[in-house]
Amino acid sequence: MTVRSPGSPESGSDTSTSGSTSAESDRTRTRVLSRVADVLAVVVLWLILVAPSDLAGLTGASLLRLPGEALVIVAVVLLIPARGRTPVAISLGLILGIAVIVKIADIGFLRAFDRISNPLFDWVYLGSGIDLLNVSVGRSSAIAILILAALVVVVLVVASPWALLRVLRLVGRHRSAAGGVLIGGTTIWIALALLGTSIGTAGPLASWVTGRTVVQHAVQAARGLSDQQTLAEAAAVDPLRQIPDDQLLGALRGKDVIVAFVESYGRIAVEGSAEAVGVGKVLDEGTKRLADAGFASRSAFLTSPTFGGISWLAHSTLQSGLWIDSQQRYDQLLETDRATLSDTFHRSGWRTVSDVPSNKKRWAEGQKFYKYDAMYDANNVGYQGPRFSYATMPDQYVLAAFRRLELASPDRPNVMAEIDLVSSHTPWTPLPKMVPWSDVGNGSVFDPMPSQGPTPDELWRDAAAVQAAYGRSIEYTLSALISFVETYRDPNLVLVILGDHQPATIVSGSGASHDVPVTIVAHDPAVMARIDNWGWQDGMRPSPTAPVTLMDTFRDRFVTAFSDAAPQVRTP
C-alpha cells in the first residue's frame, strides 16, 4: 500500500480544487446577495417616492404609479461624476426619508385637522398628543405606539440614503441602459400627465407626490416667515386700545358674562348628519325651556380658524380679534399687547376668570396675556371624582364649581369668564350622565359612571359608533348648560355658547366646513336689542341659512354692540 504524504502533489491538487470551488461559491453568493440588495433598494426607493400624503391615495394601486422623481434621480446620476454620487446619495436620501415622515404626518393631520402638517411648529403638539394617546388607549399601548413610531423614523432615515446610494451605483454601472430608461420613461410620464391618466383613488399614474410634498412644505415655511410681519402689523392696529375704559361695555354693566366653549361643537352637530337629530332635539327643547324661564336666545355660525383640534387657536382668535390659525401665529400673538375680550372686561371693572378643567398645571399665558384675575384648572376646584378619558371632570361639575366659587356670593363684583367645556372632547367615551345639581358635591357621585360605557379602544373599532358617541357627548354638554341656566335663573346672566371647531373627519367627513354654532342667551331684553342688527336667528339651533361670519370678527362686533363708544371696525 502506498501512503501519500500530506505534501505530495496529489494531495495539493485536491486542496487547490477545493479552495477554488469555495472561493467561486463565495463570489456567487456575494453576487446574488448584491443583486438582491439592488432589487430591494429599487423597491424601497420606489415605495418612498410613490407613498401618498393622504388616505385616499393609500391603496395598492398607488404602487403602479410612475414617479417623476425617479426620472430626475436617473438624470442626476448620469450628469454627476462618480466621486460625487456618495454625498449626493446621502444628502438626497435624508431629504427623501424626511419627506416620507412628513407625508405620514400629513396623513394624520389631514385626517384630524383638515390640513397638512407644519414640521417647524407642529412639534409643540407632541406633548398634548401623547397625553391624549395615554387617556385613549392606556399607558402601555401608548408607549408601544410611540416606540413603534420612533423605530419607523429611524428606519426611514437610515433606509432612504442606503437605497438611494445603491440605486445610484447601479445606474452608474449601466449608464447606456439607464439613458434609454430615462428617455423612454420621461416620454411615457409626459404622455400620461398630458392625458391625465389615473388609477382609481390612487390619483394620476404620472406621479409627483414626493416632489409636491417637498414644494408644499418649502412654500409653507417661506409663507410662515413672511406671516410674522403680517401678524405684527395687524396686532399693532387695535381699535379697542383707543377707547377710554369708562366708555367700554356700558350696556353690560351689572351683568355676569360667560363665554362657554363647547369642545368639538361643529356645524355637523346641527345639520346634515345622524347626530344632528339628537342634538337638534336638545337645542329645540332647550330653547323652549329657557324661554319658559324668561331667557331669550339667538344663534348663527362662526368660521373657526382650526379643525378637529388645537382649540387654543379658536380661543385666541375669538379673544384677540385676529385670525390665529397656526401655532406660529399663536406664539407670536402672546408676545404682543393685543387687547383680548377678557382684558377689555378687566379694564372696564369686571372680575375676569378662566376655567380650563383640562389644564393640570399653571397656565402662564392666562395671567400674562389674557390678564385673568383668577384661573381655575383640574387642581383647584375641589374635584374628587373619576376621570372621563380626556375630560378630567364632567362639564356639569365644572359649571357647579364655577357657580360655587364665583357666582354664589351676593357681595361680589360682576364676573366675565371663559369656560372651556371638554366632556365632548375626543375620544367621546366614556360619558358622564346628568345628576341633580344638589347632588354634584365633590364629584364622587360620578364614580360609577366611567365603567358604564365602552372604552376608547372598544368604541373606535366602528366609525358609526364613534359618530354616535360624538353626538351624545354634544347633547350632554348642551344639556348641562341649558339646565344650569334654567336651574339658577340669574336674571343678570349673559351666556355666549359656541364651538371651538368641527370634530375630526371621522365624524365631519372630508371637505367639511370650519363653521361652528354660536348662541347668545340673556334674560334682559335690552341685551338682545343690542344685537338686533346682526341678523341672528331666534332660538338655540341655527338653521342652514343662518348668518356665517369669521370668528376673528366677534371681539370687535361684540364690544361695539355693548359699548357707548364704538371702535372703528371692518364689516363682518
Side-chain angles (χ1 to χ4, degrees), residues 548-550 553-554 557 569-572:
V548 182
T549 53
L550 297 176
T553 65
F554 184 85
R557 199 179 195 196
V569 299
R570 68 185 188 278
T571 302

Side-chain angles (χ1 to χ4, degrees), residues 127-151:
S128 299
I130 292 173
D131 287 343
L132 179 58
L133 196 61
N134 270 325
V135 299
S136 298
V137 302
R139 182 175 177 81
S140 299
S141 297
I143 291 173
I145 290 171
L146 291 173
I147 291 174
L148 179 61
L151 288 174

Side-chain angles (χ1 to χ4, degrees), residues 367-400:
Q367 188 172 37
K368 180 182 177 183
F369 178 71
Y370 289 101
K371 308 293 196 314
Y372 286 120
D373 295 309
M375 295 183 290
Y376 298 111
D377 55 34
N379 303 313
N380 60 1
V381 292
Y383 184 66
Q384 297 180 34
R387 182 172 186 141
F388 288 80
S389 193
Y390 179 87
T392 55
M393 62 193 75
D395 289 341
Q396 185 182 11
Y397 183 89
V398 174
L399 294 170

Side-chain angles (χ1 to χ4, degrees), residues 400-423:
F402 178 78
R403 175 174 172 77
R404 168 171 50 84
L405 294 166
E406 289 293 333
L407 302 181
S409 174
D411 185 19
R412 61 174 178 80
N414 286 118
V415 172
M416 179 271 170
E418 179 187 317
I419 303 178
D420 301 341
L421 300 171
V422 296
S423 286

Side-chain angles (χ1 to χ4, degrees), residues 274-285:
E275 303 82 64
V277 176
V279 173
K281 183 179 180 180
V282 169
L283 291 173
D284 291 341
E285 291 180 353

Side-chain angles (χ1 to χ4, degrees), residues 36-50 63 163 167:
V36 169
D38 287 342
V39 171
L40 181 60
V42 170
V43 171
V44 168
L45 185 58
W46 192 277
L47 292 175
I48 287 172
L49 295 177
V50 300
L63 302 180
V167 170

